Amino acid sequence: MRLRGLHPAQVIVLGFFTALALGTAALMLPIASVGPGGASFMESLFTAASAVCVTGLAVVDTPTYWTGFGHVVILALIQIGGLGVMTFATVLGMLVARRMGMRSRLSAAAEVKSTALGGVRRLLQRVVRTALVIEGVVAVVLWVRWWALGEEPLRAAWLAVFHAVSAFNNAGFALWSDSLIGYSSDPLILLPLCAAVILGGLGFPVLLELRRELRTPLHWTMNTRVVLLASGALLVLGTLFFTASEWRNPGTLGPMGVADKVLSGFTQSVMARTAGFNSIDTSQMTSTSWFGTDILMFIGAGPAGTGGGIKVTTFAILYFIILTEVRGDVAVHVLGKRLPRSTHRQAISVALLAVGLVVGSTMVLLTIEDYGLDRTLFEVISAFATVGLSTGITADLPTTAQLILVGLMFVGRLGPITLATSLVLRRRTRLYDLPKERPIIG
């Protein structure tokens, strides 16, 4: 099939699949892993999928299994996956050829959720520039801190760059076997990483609008307002929830002081929204905390950003739809604006497709290997929402179950609607309408 005749959604899917294939091949090279003979196909595939889908789940220990070359490959996949394969490829093409065709513009615009084709070149440049600036600032702060903690300057610089990129892209890959548990009481490490995760999770449309209209909130679009309000509310509620539910747990927050408990509670709230780092042992959390994490992971971050989940805008729209129905209003209003009915359908479709994928995958995994509903559901949602948090069972799952998680990461990064659209070759235009009839609801 020629690329010229593909729908933009199909091009995006093909781009991610190509990046996944190249990443898998690179990680299978003997130079990429520490052991003799190179990594297996499944280890390479799972790691490449987790990196390009900015998830962070792993079947091997990232810092000890992969060499420096392997870590560079993982970092490149994280950056490509976070920015978007078509965004990255289009900007690279602009740098090399100084031009971009209509097909590239359509695909890149679809990926960053832009409708203004004429300004795609400028938009993509701003997206890349914004990402690099945020990653650079966070990397400098982390470099200074790790240097002060006794790391060699070059080692501190590598740690800073790797974790800044991983954090902004909401990937959650760390160069320590226990993720960030060793820094659970260090705000100069955790807070910069949290800031990068939050900014990446807001989404590029929000970041670019804040950059342009920061001092004029009355000019903000509905998308920006909803993302900021919903994200802020979830961060506060998540912090209160994790701090309270794990306060006395001897395996997590129990031994810490009050300030460290609040810091770790806040960090867990941030990371549960698709980042994947953890400053406490996730496997030792209570079932209540696991379920709360499931909810936050499923909701996810902002649209057209580096995070996953069904997106906070989808969740907010569903809330307003329910509120409208309860009140008996005719139209759905959000922050002084009326929502078009197509938005209702899209939000409901995304949510129901996501629920179906999570429920179906959980049932299959329970059939393959029964680790209990709470652990299995946690792993499935973590993969679908591209979070990367784990209760510790990922590496022990059989190959079939790991392949299901790979598929969930792929679908979660692209989005159920994008993937569904890519499978449809053309839109159906109905030349007639059918008579209306209402079933009984509720």
Side-chain angles (χ1 to χ4, degrees):
M1 183 182 293
R2 293 188 307 170
L3 196 64
R4 186 172 297 177
L6 295 179
H7 186 280
Q10 293 173 317
V11 177
I12 293 172
V13 172
L14 182 61
F16 268 90
F17 184 79
T18 302
L20 174 60
L22 293 175
T24 301
L27 290 176
M28 288 182 68
L29 296 173
I31 194 176
S33 57
V34 174
S40 69
F41 172 74
M42 192 60 216
E43 291 167 343
S44 302
L45 173 66
F46 195 97
T47 303
S50 186
V52 79
C53 296
V54 290
T55 303
L57 285 175
V59 292
V60 295
D61 186 37
T62 301
T64 60
Y65 188 86
W66 304 107
T67 62
F69 175 81
H71 292 153
V72 170
V73 171
I74 292 172
L75 186 65
L77 290 173
I78 290 172
Q79 187 70 285
I80 293 171
L83 289 177
V85 172
M86 295 315 301
T87 300
F88 185 85
T90 302
V91 171
L92 187 62
M94 287 164 52
L95 292 175
V96 174
R98 300 288 180 181
R99 60 187 293 273
M100 56 189 292
M102 179 59 72
R103 175 58 52 184
S104 296
R105 285 202 281 172
L106 283 169
S107 302
E111 193 170 54
V112 297
K113 303 294 188 292
S114 172
T115 56
L117 285 182
V120 169
R121 180 193 296 269
R122 229 171 20 253
L123 173 63
L124 296 182
Q125 291 173 338
R126 288 173 182 169
V127 165
V128 174
R129 189 161 53 241
T130 299
L132 294 179
V133 167
I134 294 174
E135 290 169 353
V137 171
V138 173
V140 169
V141 174
L142 294 175
W143 174 64
V144 172
R145 180 55 179 166
W146 270 312
W147 192 4
L149 290 175
E151 297 284 353
E152 293 293 327
L154 288 179
R155 168 70 176 169
W158 167 241
L159 291 174
V161 170
F162 187 96
H163 290 89
V165 172
S166 184
F168 177 75
N169 290 289
N170 280 224
F173 277 93
L175 294 181
W176 289 277
S177 300
D178 62 354
S179 190
L180 301 177
I181 294 178
Y183 299 97
S184 59
S185 60
D186 192 336
L188 296 181
I189 295 292
L190 296 183
L191 292 181
L193 289 174
C194 285
V197 169
I198 292 170
L199 290 173
L202 289 178
F204 289 112
V206 174
L207 291 178
L208 296 179
E209 184 167 5
L210 290 178
R211 176 184 170 187
R212 187 178 62 252
E213 304 281 359
L214 182 61
R215 297 183 181 180
T216 54
L218 292 178
H219 295 167
W220 293 352
T221 61
M222 179 198 295
N223 180 73
T224 296
R225 295 181 184 183
V226 169
V227 169
L228 292 177
L229 287 173
S231 298
L234 289 172
L235 284 175
V236 172
L237 291 174
T239 302
L240 294 174
F241 170 76
F242 286 118
T243 305
S245 63
E246 295 294 320
W247 188 270
R248 300 188 180 206
N249 186 347
T252 55
L253 299 184
M256 298 182 182
V258 174
D260 291 342
K261 287 181 178 180
V262 175
L263 176 62
S264 289
F266 172 73
T267 302
Q268 191 67 20
S269 177
V270 172
M271 302 308 174
R273 300 270 316 292
T274 84
F277 292 114
N278 57 289
S279 61
I280 57 177
D281 189 350
T282 308
S283 65
Q284 296 299 312
M285 288 167 55
T286 64
S287 296
T288 303
S289 295
W290 280 344
F291 189 64
T293 306
D294 288 342
I295 296 171
L296 289 176
M297 290 192 299
F298 187 77
I299 295 172
T306 59
I310 64 170
K311 310 301 183 187
V312 292
T313 45
T314 303
F315 179 75
I317 287 170
L318 292 175
Y319 165 78
F320 283 110
I321 289 174
I322 294 172
L323 186 63
T324 299
E325 193 63 30
V326 171
R327 288 177 172 176
D329 294 336
V330 176
V332 178
H333 296 95
V334 179
L335 304 177
K337 298 289 180 67
R338 182 169 60 86
L339 282 181
R341 292 191 179 275
S342 59
T343 306
H344 307 183
R345 294 195 301 269
Q346 188 176 22
I348 294 170
S349 298
V350 167
L352 289 181
L353 284 171
V355 169
L357 282 168
V358 168
V359 171
S361 301
T362 301
M363 293 177 68
V364 173
L365 259 65
L366 285 171
T367 303
I368 296 173
E369 193 77 34
D370 190 359
Y371 279 100
L373 178 60
D374 49 1
R375 288 179 180 271
T376 305
L377 180 64
F378 190 100
E379 220 74 11
V380 166
I381 295 179
S382 181
F384 169 75
T386 68
V387 179
L389 292 173
S390 175
T391 59
I393 67 172
T394 307
D396 298 327
L397 291 172
T399 301
T400 304
Q402 291 178 357
L403 285 173
I404 292 173
L405 294 183
V406 169
L408 285 169
M409 289 188 283
F410 198 74
V411 175
R413 182 65 186 101
L414 294 172
I417 292 296
T418 299
L419 190 62
T421 303
S422 72
L423 300 176
V424 179
L425 297 179
R426 62 183 178 85
R427 287 182 176 272
R428 292 181 59 192
T429 302
R430 190 182 291 274
L431 300 178
Y432 58 91
D433 209 351
L434 299 175
K436 290 183 179 180
E437 185 175 350
R438 289 188 57 179
I440 299 173
I441 303 295

